[in-house]
Amino acid sequence: MAKSKIIKELANGVIDITTALKRAKVLFSEFKNEILLNWASYEISGYPENYPLPDYRILSGKLMGSYFKGSMASHMKWNNVSIPLGSMPEDMVDKLLSIPLYEGVDALNHLVQQNEKAEGNVGKIIPADLFSSISYYNNDPYMIITSAQVIVGSHHIINIISTIENKLLDALILLENEFGNLDELDIDTSTKTPEEISKLTKELIVIIYNDQSVNIGDGNKIKDSNIASLIEN
């Protein structure tokens, strides 16, 4: 069977990911599943602030900043260096270093381009009211932090874009294997039983979220899964 044009164009870089996601959204609409449609929509336009992000969109960065030790009259100063976290509990470290990226794929690409031109990094500013806690977990009352931010390199964002593209390709290949050529963006789900559609929907969600605990029942609900919060019970 000849490969669908959408698959060949995406694989060969003829079309951008945003265009491919728009086409995939049309195909996903046949399943009437909120999770699939939201994924395509939010990858295009960006995720709402309180919406659970896929794991691949949550990066772990490195704490950088400036601090000095000693008194104002006599001290040593370090600028733009890695700041140690000392004995900070692991859950606090994870939260502090976490960088969630809610932007759509076009915005992610723009972010990469801007940072490559400036030879910079992407990150988040740490508020000053957390400086004393960082010093506390370093067990160093003479450590005075003056600025801090968590940063990641642009290549980490490039990896996110590549991950989205790879997941999209896998989803389209699955649909092509089940329904044949996708060029008309019109698949006939009436050829499948409700059980087969439910199974296929689960497989698509597993591809997207890499979540093997998905259990789809009546109404396409998800139970016992770390993405259960994506839809209302």
Side-chain angles (χ1 to χ4, degrees):
M1 179 182 68
K3 285 294 180 187
S4 302
K5 184 177 179 181
I6 180 177
I7 293 176
K8 291 189 291 186
E9 288 183 339
L10 180 59
N12 293 326
V14 176
I15 59 172
D16 56 45
I17 302 178
T18 298
T19 299
L21 282 165
K22 289 176 180 178
R23 295 178 182 178
K25 183 177 178 179
V26 175
L27 295 168
F28 289 162
S29 67
E30 296 293 333
F31 294 89
K32 298 177 174 57
N33 181 273
E34 184 179 354
I35 296 172
L36 295 177
L37 290 173
N38 280 349
W39 179 75
S41 295
Y42 295 154
E43 290 295 347
I44 293 169
S45 60
Y47 285 79
E49 186 174 346
N50 295 321
Y51 194 88
L53 286 176
D55 288 344
Y56 59 82
R57 277 181 163 270
I58 303 175
L59 303 179
S60 180
K62 178 170 62 174
L63 184 64
M64 300 289 292
S66 301
Y67 64 95
F68 65 84
K69 291 185 179 183
S71 65
M72 293 298 295
S74 177
H75 61 267
M76 295 183 64
K77 187 173 182 179
W78 290 264
N79 291 316
N80 194 29
V81 296
S82 177
I83 298 179
L85 296 175
S87 61
M88 182 178 290
E90 186 175 349
D91 60 334
M92 291 183 63
V93 172
D94 290 343
K95 186 174 182 180
L96 181 70
L97 299 184
S98 173
I99 301 180
L101 293 174
Y102 292 88
E103 293 83 357
V105 289
D106 283 346
L108 290 180
N109 271 313
H110 181 71
L111 196 58
V112 170
Q113 293 167 7
Q114 290 297 107
N115 280 275
E116 285 180 344
K117 289 178 181 178
E119 296 184 353
N121 295 288
V122 178
K124 66 178 183 181
I125 302 297
I126 301 301
D129 55 4
L130 293 180
F131 293 171
S132 60
S133 295
I134 297 172
S135 298
Y136 170 79
Y137 286 112
N138 276 285
N139 194 28
D140 189 349
Y142 300 104
M143 179 184 191
I144 309 298
I145 299 173
T146 56
S147 66
Q149 62 178 328
V150 178
I151 63 171
V152 294
S154 294
H155 65 281
H156 289 99
I157 302 178
I158 295 174
N159 286 342
I160 292 177
I161 297 169
S162 297
T163 297
I164 296 167
E165 183 178 44
N166 190 51
K167 289 178 179 292
L168 183 55
L169 274 172
D170 286 344
L172 292 173
I173 290 170
L174 175 61
L175 291 178
E176 183 185 67
N177 289 339
E178 292 290 334
F179 298 102
N181 194 282
L182 306 174
D183 288 349
E184 298 301 320
L185 301 182
D186 185 17
I187 56 179
D188 186 5
T189 56
S190 66
T191 61
K192 305 288 184 181
T193 67
E195 292 75 18
E196 288 173 329
I197 291 297
S198 180
K199 180 176 180 293
L200 185 54
T201 302
K202 173 182 175 178
E203 291 174 353
L204 288 168
I205 294 173
V206 168
I207 286 173
I208 291 169
Y209 287 95
N210 196 30
D211 191 328
Q212 299 294 330
S213 63
V214 177
N215 179 24
I216 299 178
D218 294 338
N220 288 329
K221 301 299 182 182
I222 292 183
K223 301 176 182 179
D224 301 324
S225 167
N226 61 12
I227 58 172
S229 58
L230 292 178
I231 58 177
E232 297 177 357
N233 293 320

mmCIF file of all heavy atoms in Angstrom, residues 83-132:
data_model
loop_
_atom_site.group_PDB
_atom_site.id
_atom_site.type_symbol
_atom_site.label_atom_id
_atom_site.label_comp_id
_atom_site.label_asym_id
_atom_site.label_seq_id
_atom_site.Cartn_x
_atom_site.Cartn_y
_atom_site.Cartn_z
ATOM 1 N N ILE A 83 24.461 27.182 41.202
ATOM 2 C CA ILE A 83 24.211 27.330 42.633
ATOM 3 C C ILE A 83 23.873 25.960 43.225
ATOM 4 O O ILE A 83 22.937 25.295 42.759
ATOM 5 C CB ILE A 83 23.050 28.305 42.894
ATOM 6 C CG1 ILE A 83 23.403 29.696 42.354
ATOM 7 C CG2 ILE A 83 22.721 28.372 44.376
ATOM 8 C CD1 ILE A 83 22.296 30.725 42.538
ATOM 9 N N PRO A 84 24.614 25.523 44.239
ATOM 10 C CA PRO A 84 24.338 24.213 44.844
ATOM 11 C C PRO A 84 23.012 24.229 45.603
ATOM 12 O O PRO A 84 22.554 25.269 46.064
ATOM 13 C CB PRO A 84 25.525 24.007 45.787
ATOM 14 C CG PRO A 84 26.007 25.400 46.110
ATOM 15 C CD PRO A 84 25.756 26.206 44.882
ATOM 16 N N LEU A 85 22.396 23.052 45.710
ATOM 17 C CA LEU A 85 21.110 22.935 46.408
ATOM 18 C C LEU A 85 21.253 22.245 47.752
ATOM 19 O O LEU A 85 20.263 22.076 48.481
ATOM 20 C CB LEU A 85 20.108 22.181 45.527
ATOM 21 C CG LEU A 85 19.749 22.896 44.226
ATOM 22 C CD1 LEU A 85 18.846 22.024 43.361
ATOM 23 C CD2 LEU A 85 19.070 24.232 44.515
ATOM 24 N N GLY A 86 22.466 21.825 48.098
ATOM 25 C CA GLY A 86 22.724 21.272 49.423
ATOM 26 C C GLY A 86 21.837 20.076 49.751
ATOM 27 O O GLY A 86 21.701 19.140 48.958
ATOM 28 N N SER A 87 21.188 20.158 50.904
ATOM 29 C CA SER A 87 20.360 19.048 51.389
ATOM 30 C C SER A 87 18.875 19.255 51.087
ATOM 31 O O SER A 87 18.022 18.671 51.758
ATOM 32 C CB SER A 87 20.556 18.880 52.902
ATOM 33 O OG SER A 87 20.158 20.073 53.587
ATOM 34 N N MET A 88 18.564 20.080 50.115
ATOM 35 C CA MET A 88 17.164 20.333 49.776
ATOM 36 C C MET A 88 16.463 19.016 49.444
ATOM 37 O O MET A 88 16.987 18.203 48.683
ATOM 38 C CB MET A 88 17.073 21.290 48.585
ATOM 39 C CG MET A 88 15.647 21.657 48.199
ATOM 40 S SD MET A 88 15.575 22.848 46.807
ATOM 41 C CE MET A 88 16.184 24.338 47.616
ATOM 42 N N PRO A 89 15.276 18.772 50.024
ATOM 43 C CA PRO A 89 14.538 17.528 49.741
ATOM 44 C C PRO A 89 14.276 17.356 48.253
ATOM 45 O O PRO A 89 14.103 18.326 47.515
ATOM 46 C CB PRO A 89 13.228 17.725 50.522
ATOM 47 C CG PRO A 89 13.559 18.696 51.599
ATOM 48 C CD PRO A 89 14.585 19.619 51.013
ATOM 49 N N GLU A 90 14.234 16.092 47.827
ATOM 50 C CA GLU A 90 14.128 15.792 46.399
ATOM 51 C C GLU A 90 12.876 16.376 45.761
ATOM 52 O O GLU A 90 12.922 16.860 44.626
ATOM 53 C CB GLU A 90 14.148 14.273 46.191
ATOM 54 C CG GLU A 90 14.194 13.857 44.741
ATOM 55 C CD GLU A 90 14.341 12.367 44.560
ATOM 56 O OE1 GLU A 90 14.624 11.671 45.557
ATOM 57 O OE2 GLU A 90 14.168 11.891 43.426
ATOM 58 N N ASP A 91 11.741 16.338 46.495
ATOM 59 C CA ASP A 91 10.505 16.874 45.907
ATOM 60 C C ASP A 91 10.601 18.378 45.695
ATOM 61 O O ASP A 91 10.070 18.911 44.708
ATOM 62 C CB ASP A 91 9.294 16.525 46.774
ATOM 63 C CG ASP A 91 9.384 17.074 48.189
ATOM 64 O OD1 ASP A 91 10.521 17.278 48.681
ATOM 65 O OD2 ASP A 91 8.330 17.305 48.817
ATOM 66 N N MET A 92 11.310 19.074 46.594
ATOM 67 C CA MET A 92 11.507 20.514 46.424
ATOM 68 C C MET A 92 12.450 20.800 45.260
ATOM 69 O O MET A 92 12.247 21.758 44.499
ATOM 70 C CB MET A 92 12.043 21.128 47.714
ATOM 71 C CG MET A 92 11.048 21.138 48.867
ATOM 72 S SD MET A 92 11.710 21.960 50.344
ATOM 73 C CE MET A 92 11.931 23.634 49.724
ATOM 74 N N VAL A 93 13.486 19.958 45.127
ATOM 75 C CA VAL A 93 14.425 20.116 44.012
ATOM 76 C C VAL A 93 13.696 19.954 42.683
ATOM 77 O O VAL A 93 13.866 20.760 41.758
ATOM 78 C CB VAL A 93 15.573 19.091 44.117
ATOM 79 C CG1 VAL A 93 16.430 19.122 42.845
ATOM 80 C CG2 VAL A 93 16.442 19.373 45.335
ATOM 81 N N ASP A 94 12.863 18.915 42.605
ATOM 82 C CA ASP A 94 12.120 18.666 41.362
ATOM 83 C C ASP A 94 11.236 19.854 40.997
ATOM 84 O O ASP A 94 11.168 20.257 39.831
ATOM 85 C CB ASP A 94 11.254 17.410 41.507
ATOM 86 C CG ASP A 94 12.089 16.138 41.567
ATOM 87 O OD1 ASP A 94 13.270 16.191 41.179
ATOM 88 O OD2 ASP A 94 11.565 15.104 42.015
ATOM 89 N N LYS A 95 10.555 20.409 42.001
ATOM 90 C CA LYS A 95 9.664 21.540 41.747
ATOM 91 C C LYS A 95 10.454 22.786 41.352
ATOM 92 O O LYS A 95 10.063 23.529 40.445
ATOM 93 C CB LYS A 95 8.815 21.821 42.978
ATOM 94 C CG LYS A 95 7.758 22.891 42.775
ATOM 95 C CD LYS A 95 6.848 23.020 43.988
ATOM 96 C CE LYS A 95 5.764 24.059 43.739
ATOM 97 N NZ LYS A 95 4.866 24.200 44.906
ATOM 98 N N LEU A 96 11.572 23.012 42.039
ATOM 99 C CA LEU A 96 12.385 24.198 41.765
ATOM 100 C C LEU A 96 12.978 24.163 40.361
ATOM 101 O O LEU A 96 12.980 25.169 39.645
ATOM 102 C CB LEU A 96 13.510 24.302 42.801
ATOM 103 C CG LEU A 96 14.454 25.508 42.665
ATOM 104 C CD1 LEU A 96 13.718 26.796 43.018
ATOM 105 C CD2 LEU A 96 15.682 25.332 43.550
ATOM 106 N N LEU A 97 13.472 22.996 39.954
ATOM 107 C CA LEU A 97 14.174 22.886 38.676
ATOM 108 C C LEU A 97 13.245 22.611 37.504
ATOM 109 O O LEU A 97 13.682 22.598 36.351
ATOM 110 C CB LEU A 97 15.233 21.778 38.756
ATOM 111 C CG LEU A 97 16.334 21.969 39.809
ATOM 112 C CD1 LEU A 97 17.354 20.846 39.702
ATOM 113 C CD2 LEU A 97 17.009 23.326 39.691
ATOM 114 N N SER A 98 11.968 22.374 37.779
ATOM 115 C CA SER A 98 11.015 22.055 36.725
ATOM 116 C C SER A 98 10.706 23.283 35.860
ATOM 117 O O SER A 98 10.433 24.365 36.369
ATOM 118 C CB SER A 98 9.716 21.515 37.339
ATOM 119 O OG SER A 98 8.723 21.351 36.360
ATOM 120 N N ILE A 99 10.739 23.091 34.540
ATOM 121 C CA ILE A 99 10.383 24.148 33.596
ATOM 122 C C ILE A 99 9.301 23.606 32.667
ATOM 123 O O ILE A 99 9.593 22.898 31.706
ATOM 124 C CB ILE A 99 11.589 24.621 32.776
ATOM 125 C CG1 ILE A 99 12.686 25.160 33.690
ATOM 126 C CG2 ILE A 99 11.171 25.690 31.768
ATOM 127 C CD1 ILE A 99 13.917 25.645 32.937
ATOM 128 N N PRO A 100 8.025 23.913 32.950
ATOM 129 C CA PRO A 100 6.952 23.469 32.054
ATOM 130 C C PRO A 100 6.850 24.411 30.861
ATOM 131 O O PRO A 100 6.937 25.633 31.001
ATOM 132 C CB PRO A 100 5.706 23.566 32.946
ATOM 133 C CG PRO A 100 6.036 24.638 33.943
ATOM 134 C CD PRO A 100 7.522 24.601 34.143
ATOM 135 N N LEU A 101 6.657 23.852 29.681
ATOM 136 C CA LEU A 101 6.554 24.656 28.464
ATOM 137 C C LEU A 101 5.162 24.486 27.867
ATOM 138 O O LEU A 101 4.810 23.421 27.366
ATOM 139 C CB LEU A 101 7.624 24.233 27.459
ATOM 140 C CG LEU A 101 9.064 24.545 27.892
ATOM 141 C CD1 LEU A 101 10.058 23.959 26.905
ATOM 142 C CD2 LEU A 101 9.279 26.049 28.019
ATOM 143 N N TYR A 102 4.369 25.562 27.916
ATOM 144 C CA TYR A 102 2.976 25.532 27.482
ATOM 145 C C TYR A 102 2.788 26.023 26.049
ATOM 146 O O TYR A 102 1.699 25.922 25.497
ATOM 147 C CB TYR A 102 2.128 26.409 28.418
ATOM 148 C CG TYR A 102 2.004 25.871 29.827
ATOM 149 C CD1 TYR A 102 2.944 26.200 30.793
ATOM 150 C CD2 TYR A 102 0.949 25.048 30.188
ATOM 151 C CE1 TYR A 102 2.836 25.701 32.093
ATOM 152 C CE2 TYR A 102 0.820 24.554 31.477
ATOM 153 C CZ TYR A 102 1.769 24.889 32.419
ATOM 154 O OH TYR A 102 1.656 24.397 33.700
ATOM 155 N N GLU A 103 3.841 26.543 25.436
ATOM 156 C CA GLU A 103 3.714 27.172 24.119
ATOM 157 C C GLU A 103 3.376 26.159 23.023
ATOM 158 O O GLU A 103 3.758 24.986 23.099
ATOM 159 C CB GLU A 103 5.020 27.881 23.758
ATOM 160 C CG GLU A 103 5.354 29.080 24.637
ATOM 161 C CD GLU A 103 6.027 28.697 25.936
ATOM 162 O OE1 GLU A 103 6.198 27.474 26.194
ATOM 163 O OE2 GLU A 103 6.375 29.597 26.716
ATOM 164 N N GLY A 104 2.671 26.642 21.984
ATOM 165 C CA GLY A 104 2.421 25.825 20.808
ATOM 166 C C GLY A 104 3.707 25.580 20.034
ATOM 167 O O GLY A 104 4.738 26.229 20.287
ATOM 168 N N VAL A 105 3.667 24.662 19.060
ATOM 169 C CA VAL A 105 4.902 24.265 18.378
ATOM 170 C C VAL A 105 5.542 25.422 17.604
ATOM 171 O O VAL A 105 6.776 25.519 17.542
ATOM 172 C CB VAL A 105 4.646 23.056 17.447
ATOM 173 C CG1 VAL A 105 4.410 21.798 18.247
ATOM 174 C CG2 VAL A 105 3.501 23.317 16.488
ATOM 175 N N ASP A 106 4.745 26.300 17.021
ATOM 176 C CA ASP A 106 5.329 27.447 16.315
ATOM 177 C C ASP A 106 6.078 28.356 17.285
ATOM 178 O O ASP A 106 7.168 28.862 16.973
ATOM 179 C CB ASP A 106 4.239 28.243 15.589
ATOM 180 C CG ASP A 106 3.790 27.568 14.298
ATOM 181 O OD1 ASP A 106 4.488 26.651 13.839
ATOM 182 O OD2 ASP A 106 2.731 27.950 13.761
ATOM 183 N N ALA A 107 5.490 28.563 18.456
ATOM 184 C CA ALA A 107 6.140 29.398 19.464
ATOM 185 C C ALA A 107 7.417 28.736 19.988
ATOM 186 O O ALA A 107 8.409 29.415 20.258
ATOM 187 C CB ALA A 107 5.183 29.676 20.617
ATOM 188 N N LEU A 108 7.402 27.411 20.114
ATOM 189 C CA LEU A 108 8.608 26.698 20.537
ATOM 190 C C LEU A 108 9.718 26.869 19.502
ATOM 191 O O LEU A 108 10.881 27.104 19.855
ATOM 192 C CB LEU A 108 8.305 25.215 20.746
ATOM 193 C CG LEU A 108 7.438 24.833 21.951
ATOM 194 C CD1 LEU A 108 7.232 23.322 21.991
ATOM 195 C CD2 LEU A 108 8.049 25.317 23.261
ATOM 196 N N ASN A 109 9.370 26.741 18.225
ATOM 197 C CA ASN A 109 10.359 26.938 17.168
ATOM 198 C C ASN A 109 10.927 28.351 17.197
ATOM 199 O O ASN A 109 12.134 28.560 17.028
ATOM 200 C CB ASN A 109 9.727 26.675 15.797
ATOM 201 C CG ASN A 109 9.832 25.221 15.370
ATOM 202 O OD1 ASN A 109 10.892 24.624 15.475
ATOM 203 N ND2 ASN A 109 8.737 24.657 14.896
ATOM 204 N N HIS A 110 10.052 29.333 17.407
ATOM 205 C CA HIS A 110 10.502 30.730 17.482
ATOM 206 C C HIS A 110 11.428 30.930 18.679
ATOM 207 O O HIS A 110 12.436 31.641 18.586
ATOM 208 C CB HIS A 110 9.295 31.656 17.596
ATOM 209 C CG HIS A 110 9.636 33.112 17.650
ATOM 210 N ND1 HIS A 110 10.113 33.810 16.562
ATOM 211 C CD2 HIS A 110 9.587 34.000 18.678
ATOM 212 C CE1 HIS A 110 10.342 35.062 16.908
ATOM 213 N NE2 HIS A 110 10.037 35.204 18.182
ATOM 214 N N LEU A 111 11.092 30.283 19.791
ATOM 215 C CA LEU A 111 11.919 30.382 20.994
ATOM 216 C C LEU A 111 13.313 29.837 20.738
ATOM 217 O O LEU A 111 14.314 30.429 21.149
ATOM 218 C CB LEU A 111 11.249 29.610 22.136
ATOM 219 C CG LEU A 111 11.711 29.854 23.565
ATOM 220 C CD1 LEU A 111 11.561 31.319 23.950
ATOM 221 C CD2 LEU A 111 10.919 28.974 24.521
ATOM 222 N N VAL A 112 13.384 28.720 20.042
ATOM 223 C CA VAL A 112 14.681 28.130 19.697
ATOM 224 C C VAL A 112 15.481 29.074 18.805
ATOM 225 O O VAL A 112 16.669 29.325 19.043
ATOM 226 C CB VAL A 112 14.483 26.770 18.989
ATOM 227 C CG1 VAL A 112 15.814 26.282 18.408
ATOM 228 C CG2 VAL A 112 13.937 25.737 19.959
ATOM 229 N N GLN A 113 14.837 29.629 17.788
ATOM 230 C CA GLN A 113 15.524 30.522 16.848
ATOM 231 C C GLN A 113 16.049 31.772 17.545
ATOM 232 O O GLN A 113 17.183 32.200 17.310
ATOM 233 C CB GLN A 113 14.577 30.903 15.710
ATOM 234 C CG GLN A 113 14.197 29.740 14.810
ATOM 235 C CD GLN A 113 13.021 30.051 13.897
ATOM 236 O OE1 GLN A 113 12.556 31.189 13.843
ATOM 237 N NE2 GLN A 113 12.532 29.055 13.185
ATOM 238 N N GLN A 114 15.231 32.347 18.423
ATOM 239 C CA GLN A 114 15.650 33.556 19.128
ATOM 240 C C GLN A 114 16.835 33.283 20.035
ATOM 241 O O GLN A 114 17.761 34.092 20.128
ATOM 242 C CB GLN A 114 14.484 34.108 19.952
ATOM 243 C CG GLN A 114 13.365 34.710 19.127
ATOM 244 C CD GLN A 114 13.838 35.921 18.321
ATOM 245 O OE1 GLN A 114 13.992 35.830 17.101
ATOM 246 N NE2 GLN A 114 14.089 37.020 18.975
ATOM 247 N N ASN A 115 16.813 32.137 20.713
ATOM 248 C CA ASN A 115 17.898 31.823 21.640
ATOM 249 C C ASN A 115 19.160 31.405 20.921
ATOM 250 O O ASN A 115 20.261 31.634 21.413
ATOM 251 C CB ASN A 115 17.454 30.729 22.617
ATOM 252 C CG ASN A 115 16.611 31.286 23.752
ATOM 253 O OD1 ASN A 115 17.123 31.754 24.740
ATOM 254 N ND2 ASN A 115 15.306 31.257 23.587
ATOM 255 N N GLU A 116 19.030 30.787 19.752
ATOM 256 C CA GLU A 116 20.222 30.442 18.985
ATOM 257 C C GLU A 116 20.915 31.699 18.478
ATOM 258 O O GLU A 116 22.142 31.772 18.447
ATOM 259 C CB GLU A 116 19.845 29.527 17.825
ATOM 260 C CG GLU A 116 19.539 28.096 18.265
ATOM 261 C CD GLU A 116 19.159 27.201 17.109
ATOM 262 O OE1 GLU A 116 18.841 27.747 16.026
ATOM 263 O OE2 GLU A 116 19.172 25.970 17.282
ATOM 264 N N LYS A 117 20.141 32.708 18.081
ATOM 265 C CA LYS A 117 20.728 33.966 17.616
ATOM 266 C C LYS A 117 21.465 34.668 18.753
ATOM 267 O O LYS A 117 22.527 35.256 18.561
ATOM 268 C CB LYS A 117 19.636 34.876 17.066
ATOM 269 C CG LYS A 117 19.038 34.412 15.747
ATOM 270 C CD LYS A 117 17.934 35.361 15.295
ATOM 271 C CE LYS A 117 17.308 34.884 13.989
ATOM 272 N NZ LYS A 117 16.193 35.770 13.559
ATOM 273 N N ALA A 118 20.873 34.590 19.955
ATOM 274 C CA ALA A 118 21.465 35.267 21.104
ATOM 275 C C ALA A 118 22.447 34.379 21.852
ATOM 276 O O ALA A 118 23.072 34.816 22.817
ATOM 277 C CB ALA A 118 20.364 35.721 22.066
ATOM 278 N N GLU A 119 22.569 33.119 21.385
ATOM 279 C CA GLU A 119 23.417 32.135 22.051
ATOM 280 C C GLU A 119 23.063 32.050 23.536
ATOM 281 O O GLU A 119 23.926 31.993 24.413
ATOM 282 C CB GLU A 119 24.896 32.477 21.871
ATOM 283 C CG GLU A 119 25.359 32.432 20.427
ATOM 284 C CD GLU A 119 26.839 32.683 20.277
ATOM 285 O OE1 GLU A 119 27.482 33.022 21.292
ATOM 286 O OE2 GLU A 119 27.353 32.537 19.164
ATOM 287 N N GLY A 120 21.781 32.053 23.808
ATOM 288 C CA GLY A 120 21.336 32.031 25.189
ATOM 289 C C GLY A 120 20.650 30.749 25.570
ATOM 290 O O GLY A 120 20.733 29.737 24.883
ATOM 291 N N ASN A 121 19.953 30.795 26.701
ATOM 292 C CA ASN A 121 19.237 29.653 27.213
ATOM 293 C C ASN A 121 17.802 30.041 27.519
ATOM 294 O O ASN A 121 17.457 31.222 27.591
ATOM 295 C CB ASN A 121 19.910 29.125 28.494
ATOM 296 C CG ASN A 121 21.301 28.588 28.248
ATOM 297 O OD1 ASN A 121 21.468 27.538 27.662
ATOM 298 N ND2 ASN A 121 22.302 29.322 28.697
ATOM 299 N N VAL A 122 16.969 29.037 27.703
ATOM 300 C CA VAL A 122 15.584 29.245 28.089
ATOM 301 C C VAL A 122 15.462 28.914 29.566
ATOM 302 O O VAL A 122 16.089 27.974 30.052
ATOM 303 C CB VAL A 122 14.656 28.323 27.269
ATOM 304 C CG1 VAL A 122 13.206 28.497 27.688
ATOM 305 C CG2 VAL A 122 14.832 28.613 25.785
ATOM 306 N N GLY A 123 14.655 29.666 30.289
ATOM 307 C CA GLY A 123 14.540 29.355 31.700
ATOM 308 C C GLY A 123 13.465 30.135 32.413
ATOM 309 O O GLY A 123 12.613 30.759 31.794
ATOM 310 N N LYS A 124 13.524 30.083 33.730
ATOM 311 C CA LYS A 124 12.587 30.821 34.568
ATOM 312 C C LYS A 124 13.358 31.501 35.689
ATOM 313 O O LYS A 124 14.356 30.988 36.185
ATOM 314 C CB LYS A 124 11.519 29.893 35.145
ATOM 315 C CG LYS A 124 12.043 28.853 36.134
ATOM 316 C CD LYS A 124 10.914 28.002 36.699
ATOM 317 C CE LYS A 124 11.441 27.009 37.739
ATOM 318 N NZ LYS A 124 10.369 26.135 38.298
ATOM 319 N N ILE A 125 12.899 32.680 36.061
ATOM 320 C CA ILE A 125 13.508 33.451 37.137
ATOM 321 C C ILE A 125 13.012 32.922 38.479
ATOM 322 O O ILE A 125 11.808 32.688 38.664
ATOM 323 C CB ILE A 125 13.171 34.948 37.002
ATOM 324 C CG1 ILE A 125 13.645 35.481 35.638
ATOM 325 C CG2 ILE A 125 13.795 35.742 38.143
ATOM 326 C CD1 ILE A 125 15.132 35.414 35.438
ATOM 327 N N ILE A 126 13.929 32.733 39.414
ATOM 328 C CA ILE A 126 13.562 32.313 40.769
ATOM 329 C C ILE A 126 13.287 33.562 41.604
ATOM 330 O O ILE A 126 14.127 34.464 41.673
ATOM 331 C CB ILE A 126 14.689 31.485 41.416
ATOM 332 C CG1 ILE A 126 14.981 30.246 40.572
ATOM 333 C CG2 ILE A 126 14.309 31.081 42.840
ATOM 334 C CD1 ILE A 126 13.814 29.324 40.382
ATOM 335 N N PRO A 127 12.109 33.641 42.238
ATOM 336 C CA PRO A 127 11.794 34.825 43.037
ATOM 337 C C PRO A 127 12.721 34.970 44.240
ATOM 338 O O PRO A 127 13.184 33.972 44.812
ATOM 339 C CB PRO A 127 10.342 34.580 43.478
ATOM 340 C CG PRO A 127 10.118 33.115 43.325
ATOM 341 C CD PRO A 127 11.001 32.672 42.210
ATOM 342 N N ALA A 128 12.976 36.204 44.620
ATOM 343 C CA ALA A 128 13.933 36.499 45.693
ATOM 344 C C ALA A 128 13.520 35.906 47.034
ATOM 345 O O ALA A 128 14.385 35.623 47.882
ATOM 346 C CB ALA A 128 14.110 38.008 45.824
ATOM 347 N N ASP A 129 12.211 35.696 47.248
ATOM 348 C CA ASP A 129 11.796 35.174 48.549
ATOM 349 C C ASP A 129 12.188 33.706 48.748
ATOM 350 O O ASP A 129 12.014 33.157 49.843
ATOM 351 C CB ASP A 129 10.291 35.355 48.770
ATOM 352 C CG ASP A 129 9.447 34.759 47.664
ATOM 353 O OD1 ASP A 129 10.019 34.138 46.755
ATOM 354 O OD2 ASP A 129 8.218 34.919 47.714
ATOM 355 N N LEU A 130 12.742 33.065 47.711
ATOM 356 C CA LEU A 130 13.224 31.689 47.853
ATOM 357 C C LEU A 130 14.729 31.616 48.103
ATOM 358 O O LEU A 130 15.255 30.552 48.408
ATOM 359 C CB LEU A 130 12.892 30.883 46.594
ATOM 360 C CG LEU A 130 11.416 30.616 46.306
ATOM 361 C CD1 LEU A 130 11.276 29.803 45.019
ATOM 362 C CD2 LEU A 130 10.758 29.869 47.469
ATOM 363 N N PHE A 131 15.413 32.754 47.978
ATOM 364 C CA PHE A 131 16.872 32.744 48.130
ATOM 365 C C PHE A 131 17.304 32.247 49.502
ATOM 366 O O PHE A 131 18.263 31.479 49.631
ATOM 367 C CB PHE A 131 17.442 34.144 47.896
ATOM 368 C CG PHE A 131 17.307 34.642 46.484
ATOM 369 C CD1 PHE A 131 17.618 35.970 46.166
ATOM 370 C CD2 PHE A 131 16.868 33.807 45.461
ATOM 371 C CE1 PHE A 131 17.511 36.429 44.863
ATOM 372 C CE2 PHE A 131 16.742 34.271 44.153
ATOM 373 C CZ PHE A 131 17.069 35.586 43.858
ATOM 374 N N SER A 132 16.623 32.690 50.545
ATOM 375 C CA SER A 132 17.013 32.299 51.899
ATOM 376 C C SER A 132 16.843 30.797 52.121
ATOM 377 O O SER A 132 17.623 30.169 52.841
ATOM 378 C CB SER A 132 16.206 33.077 52.936
ATOM 379 O OG SER A 132 14.815 32.836 52.786
#
